[in-house]
């Protein structure tokens, strides 16, 4: 890693858990990165928003499109390290969208308003500004089109969890990356849904991490079989409780 690529290399990889696929008219599809994850990565790299990085006042422009549509464009500048290190981004969305008639279902043409269009354009502009630092560069460079790459980067982020609270007290990553477990449907069929809710509630009132370790050993075999998504929720609840206990 060279000094000039330090920030880029630090921010360029994207955790697949914080992305989602999308499709647009005309058959175009791609991968979107969750904005809150980008904000978290910027905070990890530079510090709290407003101190190590930030966003300046946006400007908006509405443009009349075809068929009565109305578009909104947002231009915003962000900064990192110091307010003089400025990055610019432009984002856009539709305030009014034209929906053509559908004769098959006897639906006339219509226009739909989006009261969140300005917010979407603003968020889009922020994401585009910080792309210049390399945030989620692998997504923007098309690497997420390669399923092999996605698996590798997912494994990389799973490995990072092992050093950051996502590990069983005895050393086994039992509620993280170890297998999918049973399906959610099967778990509910076996009546584990109520037990799972009870476990989440119990985590919220654990008085110490020593009690948590005992609880792990008592419920180890049961939780190993839970659906992966349920285990992830348990991990997140545990991490949140750890922070609370640490602050207490």
């Amino acid at each position: 890693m060279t000094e000039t690529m330090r920030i880029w290399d630090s921010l360029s990889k994207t955790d697949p858990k914080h992305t989602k696929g999308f499709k647009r008219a005309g058959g175009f599809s791609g991968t979107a990165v969750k904005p809150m994850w980008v904000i978290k990565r910027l905070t990890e790299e530079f510090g709290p928003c407003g101190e190590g990085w930030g966003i300046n006042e946006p400007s908006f422009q509405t443009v009349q499109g075809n068929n009565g549509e109305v578009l909104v464009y947002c231009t915003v500048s962000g900064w990192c390290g110091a307010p003089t290190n400025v990055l610019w981004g432009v984002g856009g969305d539709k305030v009014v969208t034209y929906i053509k008639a559908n004769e098959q279902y006897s639906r006339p043409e219509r226009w739909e308003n989006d009261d969140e269009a300005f917010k979407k354009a603003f968020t889009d502009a922020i994401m585009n500004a910080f792309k210049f630092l390399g945030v989620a560069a692998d997504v923007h460079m098309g690497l997420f089109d390669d399923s092999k790459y996605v698996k590798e980067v997912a494994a990389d982020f799973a490995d990072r969890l092992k050093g950051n609270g996502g590990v069983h007290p005895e050393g086994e990553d039992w509620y993280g990356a170890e297998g999918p477990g049973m399906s959610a449907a099967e778990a509910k069929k076996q009546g584990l849904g109520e037990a799972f809710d009870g476990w989440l509630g119990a985590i919220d009132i654990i008085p110490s991490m020593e009690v948590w370790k005992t609880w792990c050993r008592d419920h180890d075999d049961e939780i190993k079989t839970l659906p992966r998504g349920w285990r992830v929720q348990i991990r997140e609840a545990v991490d949140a409780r750890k922070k609370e206990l640490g602050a207490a």
Side-chain angles (χ1 to χ4, degrees):
M1 181 189 301
T2 64
E3 181 59 27
T4 55
M5 291 294 291
R6 180 182 62 80
I7 294 176
W8 182 284
D9 290 340
S10 176
L11 297 172
S12 61
K13 285 188 176 182
T14 307
D15 187 346
K17 291 193 304 182
H18 297 287
T19 66
K20 58 181 179 180
F22 67 87
K23 291 185 178 181
R24 291 177 181 165
F28 177 78
S29 61
T31 302
V33 183
K34 296 178 181 178
M36 286 305 298
W37 186 80
V38 172
I39 292 171
K40 179 175 180 288
R41 291 293 294 116
L42 291 169
T43 301
E44 290 172 343
E45 185 70 22
F46 302 109
C49 182
E51 295 182 12
W53 69 281
I55 306 158
N56 296 317
E57 184 177 356
S59 64
F60 295 93
Q61 178 186 15
T62 55
V63 177
Q64 192 72 35
N66 295 327
N67 298 318
E69 291 191 327
V70 178
L71 314 177
V72 59
Y73 293 98
C74 174
T75 302
V76 72
S77 62
W79 57 271
C80 65
T84 54
N85 299 332
V86 177
L87 307 162
W88 291 91
V90 177
D93 211 288
K94 291 184 179 181
V95 182
V96 180
T97 301
Y98 170 71
I99 310 296
K100 66 180 181 180
N102 188 320
E103 296 181 0
Q104 180 179 357
Y105 296 100
S106 301
R107 294 175 181 168
E109 65 177 3
R110 66 186 191 280
W111 289 261
E112 292 186 351
N113 301 321
D114 186 352
D115 61 359
E116 294 199 339
F118 279 70
K119 182 179 75 173
K120 293 176 183 176
F122 177 52
T123 301
D124 190 27
I126 295 171
M127 298 301 102
N128 286 332
F130 286 101
K131 280 195 301 187
F132 289 105
L133 293 176
V135 180
D138 51 0
V139 171
H140 301 300
M141 294 171 72
L143 295 180
F144 267 58
D145 294 337
D146 182 348
S147 60
K148 182 179 178 181
Y149 173 82
V150 174
K151 289 180 181 179
E152 290 175 351
V153 77
D156 180 39
F157 276 95
D159 288 342
R160 297 184 193 184
L161 279 175
K162 292 181 179 180
N164 189 34
V167 183
H168 184 278
E170 301 300 317
E172 181 184 359
D173 189 11
W174 58 278
Y175 53 81
E178 181 195 322
M182 69 176 72
S183 68
E186 180 62 24
K188 291 178 180 178
K189 184 177 179 180
Q190 293 187 24
L192 292 175
E194 291 184 7
F196 169 69
D197 290 338
W199 290 333
L200 287 180
I203 291 169
D204 287 339
I205 58 174
I206 288 173
S208 71
M209 291 317 298
E210 287 303 314
V211 173
W212 159 244
K213 290 179 181 180
T214 301
W215 187 89
C216 284
R217 287 189 285 270
D218 291 343
H219 296 86
D220 190 63
D221 291 336
E222 297 168 276
I223 295 184
K224 278 183 178 178
T225 65
L226 290 177
R228 179 188 174 93
W230 292 18
R231 279 178 281 149
V232 168
Q233 290 185 57
I234 288 177
R235 182 185 66 219
E236 292 174 345
V238 169
D239 289 345
R241 185 56 180 160
K242 280 182 178 179
K243 291 180 180 178
E244 291 175 356
L245 292 173

